[in-house]
Amino acid sequence: MKMLICIALLALGHNSPANAEPQSSAAVIAPSAQESSPPSAEKLALIHRFMKASGLQVRIDTGSFLERYAFIPELGWAQGTENAPQNRTLMEIWTGPIDTLKAAYEKYRPQYQEAYESHINWEFTEEELRGIVSFLESPLGEHYLDGTWRMEAYTGTNMEETEELLVKQAVELYQKR
């Protein structure tokens, strides 16, 4: 069970601008608005625009953020498949866990929607959301989002061998402790 928890925690730690480190160790994190009352209709509309412009709404609508779990064999995806039809295509074997995760997700989707809307309301003031949404919906904001996605894809692909070597060395160092 500990192994599964560790694997799940590792899977949750993905690279995205939201997980970026502060620019310096002395950087001060801006305080949240800590708004606990429900949002006004105007603020809720801004929350929805923010979620759409940032790409968060698509991830919630599709459940695509769960796909990383489909590639963790230790979760037992292959167990119980011995009696499955032998004529499965490679594509079906590859997408089966993803499709199953997304099907199971549908029941929980409203909880994710509410959790994100609630936290965005808590985190940002209406004025902050206006500024953020204005930026994200601008050509510069769209370029920022697209450029960040391309940068993550590029570095993720081009640094695979380096990352594998780094992790191997780290494991060896850890084992010698």
Side-chain angles (χ1 to χ4, degrees), residues 94-154:
W94 189 254
T95 61
I98 293 172
D99 294 341
T100 306
L101 279 164
K102 288 183 178 184
Y105 167 70
E106 283 307 309
K107 174 173 127 181
Y108 299 96
R109 189 202 166 293
Q111 290 175 265
Y112 279 89
Q113 184 74 37
E114 203 294 357
Y116 276 102
E117 289 176 7
S118 177
H119 186 80
I120 293 166
N121 179 58
W122 182 85
E123 187 68 44
F124 302 108
T125 66
E126 192 169 322
E127 183 179 333
E128 289 172 328
L129 280 171
R130 261 191 225 95
I132 293 167
V133 168
S134 177
F135 170 72
L136 291 177
E137 291 177 343
S138 74
L140 181 59
E142 289 175 359
H143 183 190
Y144 165 76
L145 292 169
D146 288 343
T148 300
W149 177 87
R150 284 190 299 270
M151 176 183 59
E152 293 296 334
Y154 174 83

Side-chain angles (χ1 to χ4, degrees), residues 38-48 126:
S40 66
E42 184 178 346
K43 187 173 184 186
L44 187 58
L46 283 168
I47 289 169
H48 291 159
E126 192 169 322

Side-chain angles (χ1 to χ4, degrees), residues 46-106:
L46 283 168
I47 289 169
H48 291 159
R49 284 176 57 199
F50 167 81
M51 293 173 73
K52 182 179 179 190
S54 68
L56 177 58
Q57 190 62 57
V58 168
R59 291 190 301 274
I60 291 171
D61 289 344
T62 64
S64 62
F65 62 92
L66 295 168
E67 290 176 4
R68 65 185 176 270
Y69 293 107
F71 304 105
I72 303 174
E74 291 84 357
L75 292 176
W77 291 109
Q79 292 175 357
T81 59
E82 298 83 25
N83 298 325
Q86 298 303 315
N87 60 350
R88 283 188 182 174
T89 66
L90 185 56
M91 183 60 88
E92 290 173 72
I93 292 168
W94 189 254
T95 61
I98 293 172
D99 294 341
T100 306
L101 279 164
K102 288 183 178 184
Y105 167 70
E106 283 307 309

